[in-house]
Amino acid sequence: MAKESSFDVVSTVDLQEVDNAYQQAARELTQRYDLKQSNASIEFSRKDETFTVSAPSEFVLGQVQDVLNGKLTKRGIELSALSWGDVEPATGATVRRRARLVQGIDKDVAKAISKDIRDLKLKCKATIEGDKLRVSSPSKDVLQNVIAALKERDYGQPLQFTNYR
């Protein structure tokens, strides 16, 4: 009997890179001429893994969000790893918007990925293990076909493929 090969589908974000991007974005807010006196701010809670962007208007909020998105992209963090909330009014005629980092694959997305793998009609098995998905097959070629198929689809969060053996 052939040995089973497998890989894991995970969704993780390097928090150190996110923190570095946050530090760079906060520094740029204090140095950029158009944002220097605007009282705009970015806060990052490492404990909750959330960003809070505050600004005096929605236009400035969009600019601050663009600065943050640019720094995250330069650091190799996919923007789909952020789940932005709605713009909400804050104190003193300012607006605020929160973003949560998406870590791990929740049950609904894992079920959708598993269904898509089954729909490929390949000889492999996908099992949900907590916040990751393990795909196994006797053939490594089948596993590579599954990886290629999953890379083509969008699940609303970045996917990484680890522990390929």
Side-chain angles (χ1 to χ4, degrees):
M1 182 157 192
K3 181 181 171 218
E4 286 269 313
S5 300
S6 67
F7 70 89
D8 294 335
V9 181
V10 297
S11 180
T12 59
V13 178
D14 185 4
L15 286 178
Q16 185 60 51
E17 290 297 327
V18 171
D19 192 41
N20 290 341
Y22 157 69
Q23 297 292 336
Q24 289 178 343
R27 190 175 323 115
E28 185 168 328
L29 285 184
T30 62
Q31 294 174 349
R32 244 176 74 170
Y33 181 75
D34 58 340
L35 298 175
K36 194 183 278 189
Q37 299 297 325
S38 68
N39 292 332
S41 67
I42 302 174
E43 296 172 13
F44 176 61
S45 170
R46 211 174 162 124
K47 178 183 159 198
D48 300 335
E49 297 178 355
T50 58
F51 284 101
T52 305
V53 179
S54 301
S57 68
E58 284 192 41
F59 177 73
V60 175
L61 183 84
Q63 287 182 324
V64 173
Q65 192 173 330
D66 287 344
V67 168
L68 178 62
N69 288 345
K71 299 301 179 187
L72 287 169
T73 303
K74 281 185 179 178
R75 287 284 182 177
I77 306 296
E78 293 186 43
L79 296 182
S80 59
L82 289 177
S83 173
W84 287 97
D86 295 330
V87 176
E88 55 191 44
T91 59
T94 62
V95 290
R96 176 177 47 221
R97 192 166 188 195
R98 298 181 199 278
R100 181 181 55 83
L101 282 174
V102 178
Q103 293 272 46
I105 301 174
D106 65 343
K107 289 270 188 217
D108 297 332
V109 175
K111 286 180 183 178
I113 294 171
S114 179
K115 182 184 179 316
D116 288 344
I117 291 172
R118 280 194 311 272
D119 290 346
L120 292 173
K121 305 280 190 216
L122 296 173
K123 198 169 190 173
C124 64
K125 182 174 67 172
T127 55
I128 300 171
E129 298 178 354
D131 62 349
K132 68 179 180 179
L133 200 74
R134 172 149 299 160
V135 181
S136 58
S137 172
S139 169
K140 290 187 177 188
D141 292 336
V142 169
L143 293 180
Q144 289 176 346
N145 291 338
V146 170
I147 290 173
L150 290 179
K151 283 183 177 180
E152 291 176 1
R153 293 196 170 91
D154 180 28
Y155 294 101
Q157 65 188 75
L159 298 178
Q160 294 90 30
F161 306 99
T162 60
N163 293 337
Y164 185 80
R165 41 186 136 155

